[in-house]
């Protein structure tokens, strides 16, 4: 199983949201999710957190396909609403890969091509041993890998 598939299958939120992996390779990923009833906000449009989740899932897959990493910063501007029943596509591509950080460009579109959101995110490489070491360990941060 390749690295992207392994991460995709092991990510509980991706699975719980019913996301689909459309494309994944080193430095790039694209996922989709349907705007179901459970993802609507009080205005009966797709909740902003669903758009963020689609972008973040693609981010997690694109950076972790390169190296084990944790997300440390996100900025996402939402321009348009996702409609009930439509497909939302999250896309991430690495635009900077340094020794100590990676920066990704994020785009969320609707199935019809409308751009719903754009942003950037930053990840820091970290060893799997740091995840296992737990809270307070050097380089372990919170002790659990973040999605991105």
């Amino acid at each position: 199983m390749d690295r992207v598939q392994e991460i995709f299958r092991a990510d509980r939120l991706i699975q719980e949201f019913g996301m689909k992996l459309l494309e994944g390779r080193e430095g790039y990923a694209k996922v989709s999710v349907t705007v179901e009833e459970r993802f609507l906000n009080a205005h009966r449009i797709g909740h902003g957190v669903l758009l963020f989740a689609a972008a973040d899932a693609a981010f997690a897959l694109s950076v972790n396909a390169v190296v084990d990493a944790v997300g440390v910063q996100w900025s996402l501007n939402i321009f348009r609403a996702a409609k009930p029943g439509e497909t939302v596509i999250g896309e991430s591509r690495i635009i900077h890969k340094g020794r100590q950080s990676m920066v990704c460009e994020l785009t969320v579109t609707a199935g019809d091509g409308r751009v719903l959101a754009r942003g950037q995110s930053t990840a820091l490489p970290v060893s799997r041993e740091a995840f296992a070491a737990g809270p307070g360990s050097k380089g372990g941060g919170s002790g659990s890998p973040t999605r991105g």
Side-chain angles (χ1 to χ4, degrees):
M1 176 180 352
D2 80 350
R3 193 166 166 86
V4 173
Q5 284 289 337
E6 176 187 344
I7 295 160
F8 181 81
R9 290 184 182 141
D11 190 300
R12 293 180 191 149
L13 187 107
I14 286 173
Q15 299 307 314
E16 180 62 32
F17 277 32
M19 292 186 192
K20 295 183 175 114
L21 177 61
L22 302 179
E23 190 175 345
R25 62 181 183 274
E26 189 171 302
Y28 178 82
K30 185 190 285 192
V31 301
S32 69
V33 62
T34 301
V35 183
E36 299 172 5
E37 179 77 21
R38 65 185 174 139
F39 298 133
L40 301 181
N41 66 17
H43 302 289
R44 308 284 305 153
I45 57 176
H47 202 291
V49 77
L50 181 64
L51 303 184
F52 180 86
D56 186 48
F59 170 51
L61 296 167
S62 68
V63 298
N64 282 282
V66 175
V67 64
D68 290 319
V70 294
V72 295
Q73 182 276 331
W74 296 259
S75 175
L76 190 69
N77 293 305
I78 298 175
F79 308 122
R80 293 180 183 85
K83 300 172 186 171
E86 78 179 338
T87 299
V88 169
I89 300 164
E91 189 174 8
S92 172
R93 96 177 58 254
I94 294 177
I95 58 174
H96 166 76
K97 182 183 176 297
R99 287 180 295 127
Q100 296 184 350
S101 69
M102 291 178 280
V103 177
C104 290
E105 175 182 72
L106 308 173
T107 304
V108 181
T109 56
D112 64 6
R114 288 177 297 122
V115 175
L116 304 177
R118 287 195 190 270
Q120 285 189 341
S121 52
T122 304
L124 301 180
V126 64
S127 69
R128 287 191 182 201
E129 293 77 30
F131 296 147
S137 300
K138 185 175 182 177
S142 67
S144 62
T146 190
R147 300 191 22 72

